[in-house]
Amino acid sequence: MSEEIVNKVAESKLITFNLEDYYLPGKRVLFDISEWLLEGFLLKEKDFRAKAAEHDWSQYQDAYVALHCSTGAIVPGWAYMLLATKLQPFAKRFIQGSLEQLETLLYTETLKDLDVSGLKDKLVIVKGCSNKPVPPNAYVLIIGKLQPVVKSLMYGEACSSVPLYKRK
């Protein structure tokens, strides 16, 4: 009566690819410039430059920074460029955009040169859940790297995967 319980998932030839493993550690900052605009909408150059000059930029040491304006104000390109000159000596990376756009850029740069040759002709499942902020676009980007190499691609968890691709 005592049948041995077999873990079929553990015995399978599936290889789990976890995008979370490629998350770059470091502080993320969403820098909202609307606080430096008159009533959140009007950029007065003299005041804006003064705030940029007085600001403690060292607090962004080794951080990843997304510059944005939450009010939807029309902000001239030079304003973001000015802030970028201030961030340059301190931040690891900075963009104009959202935190999701920043994360997408970081993943794009990380995955661009990723060697996936070790997954040649393998059955690969791209893990769906993560504890770190993996942007949706990273899942699309990894398909471009994996599909030309692997035999089969799935998404999710081994116990409940969604088939995506199978080489003929």
Side-chain angles (χ1 to χ4, degrees), residues 74-122:
I74 298 172
V75 178
W78 67 260
Y80 292 107
M81 293 170 70
L82 176 68
L83 300 181
T85 67
K86 304 296 187 182
L87 286 166
Q88 179 61 41
F90 302 104
K92 280 187 182 176
R93 196 75 165 89
F94 45 87
I95 66 155
Q96 177 187 343
S98 67
L99 285 175
E100 184 176 314
Q101 289 169 319
L102 173 65
E103 215 57 68
T104 297
L105 176 68
L106 296 176
Y107 268 95
T108 300
E109 291 174 346
T110 301
L111 296 175
K112 181 181 69 156
D113 298 323
L114 182 66
D115 180 13
V116 294
S117 61
L119 298 174
K120 185 168 178 51
D121 298 325
K122 304 286 185 194

Side-chain angles (χ1 to χ4, degrees), residues 3-70:
E3 292 182 32
E4 183 180 340
I5 298 173
V6 178
N7 184 339
K8 290 181 181 179
V9 172
E11 289 182 354
S12 78
K13 294 179 181 179
L14 275 177
I15 295 172
T16 300
F17 187 94
N18 189 352
L19 279 165
E20 188 176 54
D21 294 342
Y22 301 93
Y23 177 84
L24 293 176
K27 179 179 171 185
R28 269 64 167 170
V29 177
L30 185 62
F31 188 108
D32 186 0
I33 69 164
S34 70
E35 298 169 17
W36 289 10
L37 306 179
L38 183 64
E39 296 183 14
F41 285 96
L42 182 64
L43 187 146
K44 293 180 76 177
E45 183 178 352
K46 184 178 178 182
D47 295 344
F48 190 83
R49 286 182 178 277
K51 288 183 192 272
E54 297 164 3
H55 191 70
D56 176 17
W57 296 99
S58 67
Q59 65 184 300
Y60 306 104
Q61 185 67 51
D62 298 325
Y64 299 100
V65 182
L67 301 167
H68 89 121
C69 181
S70 64

